[in-house]
Amino acid sequence: MFDLIKLTEKTYYFDIPTKIGVYKLDDKNAMLIDSGINAKTASRVLKILDSKGLQVAFIVNTHSHTDHAGGNRFICEQTGCKAYAPEVEDMLIEYSDVEATLVYGGFPCRDFRKKFMNTESSKTYPLKDAPLPQGMEIFPLHGHTAHMIGVKTPDDVYFIADAVNGKNTLDKAKICYVYDIDTQFETLEKLKELDGKLCVPAHTDPTENVEYLAKINIENLLEIRKDILSIIKESPKTTEEITAQLCKKYELKEDFMGLVMVTSTVRSHLVSLRHKGLLDWFIEDYIHYWKIAEENI
Ligand SMILES: [Zn+2]
């Protein structure tokens, strides 16, 4: 736990639940790809880097989620470095309450803000201004969030953040958070082209077989989609009813935080199916129901 793993001459990662990428810019300076979940994690990162004679030159955040940007504030305050993030994600890191609002769908209650979206707001700069070394490339991985990005190091390692989940996570969590289902499908198809390259997803082991991960993630989304359609085929249902049936079928843990995240993702699935013309909705007695679109009955 908390090992700094060497992948190539200049590229490393911290082997923790949300991986942090490290690219050595020279003998004394490194850039970080993401910053960990909180100040405690960030403090351990700085200590380990310090023991190797390295200091943080700057941070690139792949996206705004707490476990990826929660260490920004501590690292920036301790080292004086800057953190850079893609558009919209930079705003969400800086105004972290908005992130919780985005998922919850209204002013988020205290538990949700504190325990789940606990990123300490910190100043974040536009990614276009980051002093990236020559040969480093940023590529879009939109879907999991609106503007998530991946980072390709000059020595050909691809940090792909939360674009894919590992098999264990998919089996256990089943409905993993996705903001935009259709864009996520596109991202997963594009990731297949990186097969053979060394890819580092944030929550599962590095792999040179990203095609496999992309495939099982696509299958997961298609299975959820199929199950949603079969639930609604029985009779029109509300978002909450559909979510409850899915949770029961997948035997998910019954807790508030999990339910908020899952409901948000189910809502994204429902909207995607409506945009495809497979679902429609109606309102009766001020209750919003989903039904199979006429032409698909
Ligand atoms: Zn994430």
Side-chain angles (χ1 to χ4, degrees):
M1 182 68 181
F2 234 104
D3 294 329
L4 182 59
I5 311 280
K6 185 172 182 169
L7 289 171
T8 64
E9 198 195 327
K10 292 184 172 181
T11 304
Y12 300 69
Y13 72 94
F14 279 100
D15 193 16
I16 52 178
T18 303
K19 294 180 182 57
I20 298 175
V22 178
Y23 181 76
K24 267 175 85 172
L25 298 164
D26 54 44
D27 287 345
K28 288 183 179 166
N29 294 289
M31 68 166 272
L32 297 184
I33 300 158
D34 289 329
S35 64
I37 191 163
N38 53 27
K40 197 173 156 199
T41 299
S43 162
R44 293 183 74 179
V45 164
L46 288 187
K47 267 194 194 118
I48 292 170
L49 290 177
D50 189 50
S51 73
K52 314 267 179 208
L54 287 170
Q55 58 185 26
V56 179
F58 62 96
I59 302 166
V60 166
N61 291 117
T62 56
H63 64 298
S64 58
H65 286 165
T66 311
D67 53 333
H68 294 257
N72 276 22
R73 185 161 167 174
F74 183 85
I75 294 174
C76 293
E77 278 177 5
Q78 293 292 313
T79 67
C81 78
K82 285 183 178 174
Y84 300 87
E87 57 179 345
V88 181
E89 308 286 342
D90 55 354
M91 180 272 287
L92 291 171
I93 294 169
E94 206 163 326
Y95 302 97
S96 59
D97 275 4
V98 182
E99 175 84 68
T101 304
L102 188 75
V103 177
Y104 186 66
F107 188 73
C109 61
R110 230 171 266 145
D111 329 39
F112 191 65
R113 279 191 292 167
K114 268 193 182 169
K115 289 190 183 168
F116 209 88
M117 300 287 171
N118 63 352
T119 307
E120 291 187 317
S121 298
S122 60
K123 177 79 190 148
T124 312
Y125 295 85
L127 186 53
K128 63 178 176 48
D129 297 334
L132 299 177
Q134 208 179 5
M136 184 163 279
E137 289 170 23
I138 301 293
F139 54 97
L141 288 173
H142 305 171
H144 172 68
T145 66
H147 294 268
M148 187 170 79
I149 53 100
V151 178
K152 174 194 173 289
T153 66
D155 50 8
D156 244 12
V157 179
Y158 292 75
F159 286 88
I160 58 171
D162 291 357
V164 289
N165 295 288
K167 184 160 181 355
N168 287 348
T169 306
L170 291 175
D171 287 346
K172 202 171 157 223
K174 202 74 185 182
I175 305 175
C176 300
Y177 181 75
V178 178
Y179 170 71
D180 178 343
I181 304 292
D182 294 337
T183 315
Q184 175 68 357
F185 271 118
E186 285 167 24
T187 288
L188 291 169
E189 286 298 336
K190 271 192 216 145
L191 273 180
K192 287 182 183 172
E193 292 164 21
L194 293 185
D195 204 45
K197 304 283 188 189
L198 181 53
C199 289
V200 186
H203 301 290
T204 189
D205 293 336
T207 180
E208 289 184 353
N209 187 4
V210 74
E211 187 175 12
Y212 165 74
L213 284 178
K215 216 175 119 221
I216 61 171
N217 278 268
I218 289 171
E219 282 165 6
N220 164 269
L221 292 178
L222 290 174
E223 189 187 341
I224 296 167
R225 179 177 272 184
K226 199 175 118 226
D227 288 338
I228 288 174
L229 288 170
S230 85
I231 288 168
I232 300 173
K233 223 168 218 168
E234 289 168 13
S235 62
K237 295 199 173 51
T238 65
T239 302
E240 284 74 17
E241 287 169 334
I242 296 159
T243 306
Q245 285 207 20
L246 287 171
C247 289
K248 278 182 202 159
K249 181 175 164 55
Y250 302 148
E251 297 177 341
L252 302 187
K253 207 173 133 208
E254 205 168 20
D255 73 273
F256 176 72
M257 311 288 174
L259 192 57
V260 169
M261 297 298 284
V262 164
T263 306
S264 185
T265 303
V266 169
R267 199 171 281 125
S268 298
H269 271 283
L270 291 165
V271 167
S272 156
L273 288 167
R274 186 171 192 253
H275 287 171
K276 290 196 172 319
L278 294 170
L279 287 184
D280 205 348
W281 67 39
F282 62 93
I283 293 172
E284 195 175 281
D285 290 333
Y286 302 98
I287 298 174
H288 176 206
Y289 291 93
W290 294 91
K291 63 173 187 175
I292 302 293
E294 297 293 339
E295 55 271 34
N296 292 293
I297 293 173

